[in-house]
Amino acid sequence: MAGNTVTCAFSIPGNGPSGICLSYLLSGYRPYLSPEALHPNPILHSKLEEARHLSIPEQDLEYLSEGLEGRSSNPVAVLFDTLLHPNADFGYDYPSVLQWKLEQEHYIPHIVLGKGPPGGAWHDMEGSILTLSLGDWMELPGLKFKDWAMGKRRNIKSDRATPAEVASYYKHYVKLMGIQRNFIDNTYITSVVRPYRESNDSVSHDSEDVPCEKTHIDKENEVLKKNWEIHGYRRAADGAHQPFCLFAENLVLATGTFDAPARLEVHGENLSYVSHSIAEFEEAVGKGMLSGVVDPVLIVGAGLTAADAVLCAHNNNIPVIHAFRRRLNDPSLIFKQLPKKLYPEYHKVYHMMCTQVSSAASNLYPSYTSYPEHCVLSFKPDMKCVLQSTSGPKKVVKVSMALVLIGSHPNLFFLKEQGRGLGSHHNQPITCKGNPVKIDPYTYESCKEPNLFALGPLVGDNFIRFLKGGALAITRCLELRQKKTRHRIVESGSEDGVS
C-alpha cells in the first residue's frame, strides 16, 4: 500500500478487539441460532425462533434488543452479549446460543489500519497483571479463549487472563480466522478529510432510520463527495516513512481510548516529578529510584490504574498518599462493582482506602494515607502539592513523585477539529464516559457525519464483551445499504452504481 492510492468500501483505523471483530464479520462470518440452542430468556428465544433460518445480521436488531438490560447503554451491545454469554452478569456460564458459518458471498472489502500488530493497546500493557474481565469475556466470536489458551497459560488457577495472554490471543485470532489479508500493521494516520464535500454535507441526520436506509446517488461525482480521503504513512523495518493515500466510502473509528491520559489541568502539572503513566512509576520502582525515600508518592484517582499503582507502591514498601474526589460509599466506585472472590487485590485497595475513617483500623497500613473527597489545587516546584477537600480545608503535602491516574481520552487529531463535532456535547472533546460519539443505536453510524461509524470505547463500550455489538450493527447496516443499492442498479439497468 505504501506510496500508492487505494480505494475500498471500508477503512477501519484501529486494530484492537473492536477492529478485529468488525473485520471478522465483514469477512463473511455469519452468526445463526444454533440448532440445539435454548436461550434462558424465553422472550428473546421466542423471537429468535421466529427467524431461525436467517442469520442474526439479517434480522431486526431493534426488535431483538427490545426489553433487554445489561451493563451497556447501547441496546445492540447488550443483545449480542446475551447471545454470546447468556446471563453472564448473574454468574452463569451458559454456552453461546450462536453457531458461526463462513459465507464468502457476504465478504465486504475493507482495510484495518494499526500502529502495531493486531490487538492494539493490549500489546503495550503491563504483561503480568490480571485483566479486569474474565478470560472468556475477552474472547472474540468463533474462538473460545479457554480452547486457545489450553497448554499456553502458566497460571491455570485463575479465570482472569494477563494482558500479555490477551494480546497474544488477538494476534493469533486474526491468523487463525484467515482475516490477516485485511490488516496492515505499522500504519500511522495523519489526516482524514472529505476532499469534495459541499457546504450542505455537514448537516446532521438525527432520524434513527435515515443512516441505514439512505441510498447513495449513483453518479460518480456524487459518490466521490461521500468518500473519505485518508493520509498517513507506514513505517518500514529500517524506520523510513512510506506515505499512502486511501479512499474509502465508509470510515469506522475503532481507535479505543488509551491514546491520551486525562489531565487535571491545574498549575504545575507539567513539572518533572508529575507523571500520568503507571509505566513510568513502575520503571522508577524497578530501578530503585524510590527505595528508601522519606517523602510519599502521591497517587491521584480512584480507578483500577490508580489501584494498581497503590498495590505496586505497597508491595515495594513505598509510602503513599492517595487522593480522590469521590466518597468512600459512592456506589459508582469500581471496587463496589467487582466480586470480592475474583478481585481480591482490588478489594484490598478499597479496604486500605476505608481504613482512614476508622481509627481502630488506621494502623493496619501505616505507610498509606487516603484523602477521600479531595482534589488537587496545584503542584509546586519544591515538590509540594496543595490538596483541597470538598468541605473547604486545604492541605499541603511533600511528595517524592506524583501520579495522576484519572483515565484517558482518545486521540482523534487526524479528524477535523479533533472530532469535537461528533459528540453528544457539541464542541467538546470526545470522552468515553462524559461525551462519547453520538451514534444511531442500531447502526452505530454517527448522527453528525454520514458514512462515519464508531464502536468500542468511543461510544461508551469499554468492556470487550459489549464492543462486539457495534460490529454486528455496522455489518447489518452496510449489508442493507448495499442490497438497496444493488436493487436500484437492477431497476435502472445502470452500470454506474456503487458496488
Side-chain angles (χ1 to χ4, degrees):
M1 182 180 71
N4 297 324
T5 299
V6 180
T7 303
C8 67
F10 245 77
S11 177
I12 308 169
N15 66 349
S18 297
I20 295 173
C21 187
L22 180 55
S23 178
Y24 177 76
L25 288 169
L26 294 178
S27 295
Y29 285 95
R30 313 282 286 188
Y32 288 83
L33 181 65
S34 181
E36 69 281 2
L38 181 64
H39 199 282
N41 183 322
I43 297 177
L44 177 58
H45 186 76
S46 176
K47 292 179 180 180
L48 293 168
E49 285 285 3
E50 293 173 8
R52 176 179 280 276
H53 63 290
L54 295 177
S55 68
I56 302 300
E58 295 175 283
Q59 300 182 42
D60 186 340
L61 299 184
E62 183 173 1
Y63 173 63
L64 293 178
S65 303
E66 187 179 12
L68 298 179
E69 295 181 355
R71 286 193 282 173
S72 171
S73 59
N74 295 313
V76 180
V78 176
L79 167 66
F80 208 24
D81 177 68
T82 197
L83 295 177
L84 292 166
H85 304 286
N87 285 5
D89 284 334
F90 297 104
Y92 294 102
D93 190 22
Y94 291 130
S96 169
V97 298
L98 301 178
Q99 65 174 0
W100 292 85
K101 300 178 182 179
L102 177 58
E103 300 175 353
Q104 297 283 5
E105 65 272 20
H106 290 291
Y107 176 80
I108 297 173
H110 62 280
I111 293 177
V112 185
L113 305 173
K115 297 177 183 177
W122 285 93
H123 291 281
D124 300 325
M125 296 182 192
E126 170 60 41
S128 59
I129 62 174
L130 294 175
T131 62
L132 174 62
S133 297
L134 299 174
D136 288 354
W137 293 358
M138 316 299 286
E139 68 190 21
L140 297 179
L143 180 63
K144 291 189 69 63
F145 184 85
K146 285 181 179 177
D147 294 343
W148 171 85
M150 192 171 297
K152 293 184 175 66
R153 300 191 65 186
R154 295 180 181 178
N155 178 19
I156 60 174
K157 295 180 181 180
S158 175
D159 288 330
R160 291 162 62 197
T162 66
E165 291 169 336
V166 176
S168 181
Y169 166 80
Y170 291 144
K171 185 177 179 180
H172 282 84
Y173 180 93
V174 169
K175 184 176 181 180
L176 292 171
M177 294 300 170
I179 59 176
Q180 64 266 40
R181 62 172 173 163
N182 306 313
F183 287 74
I184 303 178
D185 304 341
N186 301 315
T187 54
Y188 296 78
I189 296 174
T190 54
S191 71
V192 176
V193 296
R194 286 190 189 272
Y196 303 105
R197 82 180 303 156
E198 294 177 337
S199 59
N200 61 355
D201 283 345
S202 59
V203 178
S204 66
H205 54 282
D206 290 313
S207 170
E208 57 186 62
D209 293 323
V210 170
C212 201
E213 301 299 331
K214 182 180 178 182
T215 304
H216 302 307
I217 301 173
D218 45 0
K219 294 180 180 179
E220 185 175 356
N221 63 329
E222 293 296 334
V223 171
L224 284 174
K225 289 176 183 176
K226 294 183 179 297
N227 274 357
W228 294 93
E229 184 176 333
I230 304 160
H231 287 271
Y233 63 88
R234 190 176 189 191
R235 191 176 59 194
D238 60 0
H241 291 183
Q242 302 170 337
F244 68 83
C245 177
L246 174 67
F247 283 92
E249 184 180 343
N250 302 282
L251 180 74
V252 183
L253 299 176
T255 55
T257 185
F258 295 101
D259 289 324
R263 297 175 61 86
L264 296 169
E265 303 297 343
V266 299
H267 182 72
E269 193 170 1
N270 291 324
L271 291 169
S272 60
Y273 70 92
V274 182
S275 173
H276 299 78
S277 167
I278 190 173
E280 291 182 6
F281 175 57
E282 291 171 337
E283 183 180 2
V285 172
K287 292 181 178 179
M289 296 169 60
L290 298 172
S291 59
V293 296
V294 177
D295 295 324
V297 170
L298 171 67
I299 298 174
V300 183
L304 296 180
T305 305
D308 286 333
V310 169
L311 287 169
C312 179
H314 179 72
N315 293 336
N316 288 276
N317 300 313
I318 299 171
V320 170
I321 290 176
H322 188 188
F324 45 95
R325 293 183 301 173
R326 296 185 182 181
R327 306 185 318 274
L328 288 169
N329 60 354
D330 189 332
S332 64
L333 277 174
I334 185 64
F335 311 104
K336 289 184 169 291
Q337 303 172 33
L338 303 177
K340 194 170 185 178
K341 185 177 180 180
L342 284 174
Y343 307 96
E345 75 277 31
Y346 291 131
H347 278 272
K348 177 180 179 179
V349 173
Y350 182 57
H351 183 251
M352 294 169 70
M353 292 163 64
C354 295
T355 54
Q356 305 300 307
V357 179
S358 169
S359 59
S362 60
N363 292 329
L364 288 175
Y365 307 104
S367 62
Y368 171 88
T369 305
S370 73
Y371 286 98
E373 299 181 76
H374 278 69
C375 63
V376 176
L377 284 185
S378 64
F379 297 100
K380 303 297 183 182
D382 59 357
M383 302 188 76
K384 291 180 180 179
C385 175
V386 182
L387 304 177
Q388 182 172 33
S389 71
T390 54
S391 58
K394 298 179 183 179
K395 186 174 184 65
V396 179
V397 294
K398 182 78 163 61
V399 301
S400 59
M401 182 178 186
L403 283 172
V404 179
L405 303 173
I406 55 173
S408 57
H409 299 316
N411 189 349
L412 301 176
F413 71 93
F414 50 83
L415 291 175
K416 181 183 178 182
E417 297 178 349
Q418 300 183 11
R420 285 174 174 260
L422 301 176
S424 301
H425 304 293
H426 190 63
N427 287 332
Q428 295 294 317
I430 298 297
T431 61
C432 61
K433 292 182 179 179
N435 191 35
V437 175
K438 187 177 182 181
I439 56 169
D440 180 293
Y442 300 102
T443 68
Y444 281 63
E445 186 173 23
S446 166
C447 294
K448 309 291 184 68
E449 193 71 71
N451 299 82
L452 179 113
F453 299 78
L455 75 166
L458 292 174
V459 299
D461 285 331
N462 298 302
F463 289 100
I464 291 172
R465 282 175 55 193
F466 297 112
L467 62 80
K468 291 170 272 194
L472 173 65
I474 293 171
T475 300
R476 180 180 185 273
C477 175
L478 186 62
E479 289 189 351
L480 284 177
R481 187 170 285 171
Q482 288 193 332
K483 284 181 181 179
K484 199 157 189 176
T485 301
R486 286 195 292 266
H487 181 67
R488 276 181 170 256
I489 293 173
V490 171
E491 281 189 336
S492 64
S494 170
E495 298 296 331
D496 298 329
V498 183
S499 60

